[in-house]
């Protein structure tokens, strides 16, 4: 019986393949709950889960909230714009104050890398990283892996293309860690300004860096599209959204370069017609909505494993 | 924790089979046939036992009752004491539970807490008309921690607290037997 020995989920990088498989297997058993009439199990009854989001998010925050509630935990949302952070309270003071109310888990999203790690050291609560800067977004990579496994059987030996703003993407980084640990081959592509040479470090992990989307997508089993942020066009990373769409957008013609049964994924929210065409986003090979459903199962599994089944002394 | 040691074997494959045949007869007798029975096996060993009972009921009555699967891990009352992450197996109740005559099936009845969890879980799926319990082994009333009893019992085996009943089925253990296991006491 595998024991998940970590107190927190801070990233994929410090997990090994067995632990990742264990989380995915646990998540599979939570998928069935969404199909029941009463979508609730009593497992985390009386436990408190705090969502501490310093960056705006509807999708991830709602997903964590529903996951906690379906486990019968009490979910509290703290959105920074309405909190005392606007009065100048530091992150650590915010965390210490929350800790004094004995939460069982704190789910944190922050624009600075390493904030979940700081919290993990000072809080007894289990810390779940919901995205820290451009560093990691572990539950996204896990739900992506669950979705891939559902449709492709296993991740080993798959060819996965990740297209877009890799530089600023915590989703890309967590996915690259996870996919390479589980034996997939990853190709990344995007404008040269957004796929910098630092990623050569990933080359030793078996990541292929391509300059053009066509070369990355060709023969791929999975095509993952990253969201392009409008702010980047203002910072001269590329000339305009239209330019991006023309050169790097995934449309039906480019998708045809991938394997015949290739699947398309996107972490959301999409810019339709920019990084992904509507035809592909709504097409038969798109698993974007499956990802959202699997996000719930993964987050229930993570909360269950961190909060539910262990009560070890720190 | 020291490994369990087998103290004695109390049933072999043939005796298990005869006990199941009797349970199947008792079930159809008590429920006046197989018409409205819904067997629900509790993971893990309750599941193959439920399938075997369904086959035997089919032999007796010409009708095979539906078989559902329940994993009660998420409804346990002792998760914080278990330590490791218990593995959650499949729950599958394809047929709705509402208004049905359900027979829960498990291998061993001990404290009754597993059955309490199974009842709570069943209620979250709907309101059964009636729930009964069939077990292969009952470890005796003195171990019960909740007011729970079995309606159909393969064998009553009085045991002490340091003993564990191990039911072995080909489906999981490669052989068919029921054994009493004992935890060896530590030398001080």
């Amino acid at each position: 019986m595998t024991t998940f020995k970590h107190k927190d989920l801070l990233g994929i990088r410090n997990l090994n393949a067995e632990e990742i498989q264990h989380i995915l297997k646990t998540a599979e058993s939570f998928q069935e709950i969404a199909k029941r009439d009463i979508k609730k199990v009593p497992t985390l009854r009386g436990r408190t889960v705090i969502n501490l989001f310093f960056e705006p998010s509807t999708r991830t925050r709602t997903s964590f909230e529903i996951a906690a509630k379906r486990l019968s935990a009490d979910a509290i949302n703290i959105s920074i714009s309405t909190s005392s952070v606007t009065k100048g309270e530091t992150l650590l003071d915010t965390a210490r104050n929350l800790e004094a109310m004995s939460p069982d888990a704190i789910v944190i999203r922050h624009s600075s890398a390493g904030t979940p790690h700081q919290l993990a050291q000072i809080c007894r609560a289990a810390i779940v990283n919901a995205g820290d800067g451009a560093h990691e977004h572990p539950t996204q990579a896990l739900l992506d892996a669950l979705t891939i496994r559902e449709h492709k059987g296993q991740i080993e030996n798959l060819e996965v293309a990740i297209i877009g703003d890799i530089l600023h993407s915590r989703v890309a980084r967590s996915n690259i860690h996870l996919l390479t640990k589980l034996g997939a081959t990853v190709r990344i592509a995007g404008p040269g300004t957004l796929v910098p040479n630092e990623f050569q470090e990933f080359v030793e992990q078996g990541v292929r860096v391509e300059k053009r989307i066509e070369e990355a997508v060709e023969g791929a089993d999975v095509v993952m599209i990253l969201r392009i942020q409008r702010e980047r066009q203002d910072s001269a990373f590329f000339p305009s959204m239209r330019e991006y769409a023309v050169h790097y957008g995934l449309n039906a013609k480019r998708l045809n370069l991938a394997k015949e049964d290739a699947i398309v994924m996107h972490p959301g929210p999409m810019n339709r017609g920019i990084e992904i065409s509507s035809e592909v986003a709504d097409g038969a090979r798109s698993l974007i909505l499956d990802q959202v459903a699997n996000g719930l199962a993964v987050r229930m599994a993570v909360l269950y494993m961190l909060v539910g089944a262990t009560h070890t002394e720190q | 924790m020291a490994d369990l040691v087998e103290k004695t074997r109390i049933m072999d494959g043939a005796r298990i089979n005869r006990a199941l045949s009797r349970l199947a007869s008792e079930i159809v007798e008590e429920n006046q046939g197989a018409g409205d029975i819904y067997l629900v096996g509790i993971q893990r060993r309750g599941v193959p036992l439920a399938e075997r009972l369904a086959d035997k009921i089919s032999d007796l009555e010409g009708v095979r009752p539906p078989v559902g699967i329940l994993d009660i891990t998420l409804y346990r009352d002792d998760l914080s004491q278990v330590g490791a992450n218990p593995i959650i197996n499949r729950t599958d109740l394809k047929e709705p539970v509402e208004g049905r005559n359900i027979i829960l099936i498990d291998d061993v009845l001990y404290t009754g807490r597993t059955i309490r969890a199974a009842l709570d879980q069943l209620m979250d799926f709907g309101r059964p008309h009636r729930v009964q319990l069939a077990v292969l082994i009952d470890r005796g009333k003195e171990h019960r921690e909740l007011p729970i009893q079995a309606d159909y019992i393969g064998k009553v085996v009085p045991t002490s607290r340091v003993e564990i009943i191990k039911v072995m089925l080909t489906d999981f253990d490669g052989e068919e037997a029921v054994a009493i296991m004992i935890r060896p006491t530590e030398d001080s």
Side-chain angles (χ1 to χ4, degrees), chain A residues 75-86:
Chain A
I76 314 292
N77 292 326
I78 299 183
S79 117
I80 284 318
S81 54
T82 49
S83 81
S84 56
V85 168
T86 57

Side-chain angles (χ1 to χ4, degrees), chain A residues 20-58:
Chain A
I20 295 170
Q21 300 279 22
H22 187 211
I23 299 175
L24 295 179
K25 191 152 190 1
T26 307
E28 277 171 3
S29 22
F30 281 99
Q31 284 173 319
E32 168 263 322
I33 295 174
K35 304 191 178 83
R36 301 184 188 179
D37 276 347
I38 294 184
K39 298 168 186 49
K40 209 185 250 286
V41 292
T43 321
L44 294 191
R45 194 175 66 94
R47 306 303 191 97
T48 304
V49 176
I50 297 185
N51 280 333
L52 188 58
F53 276 60
F54 287 82
E55 281 182 339
S57 161
T58 315

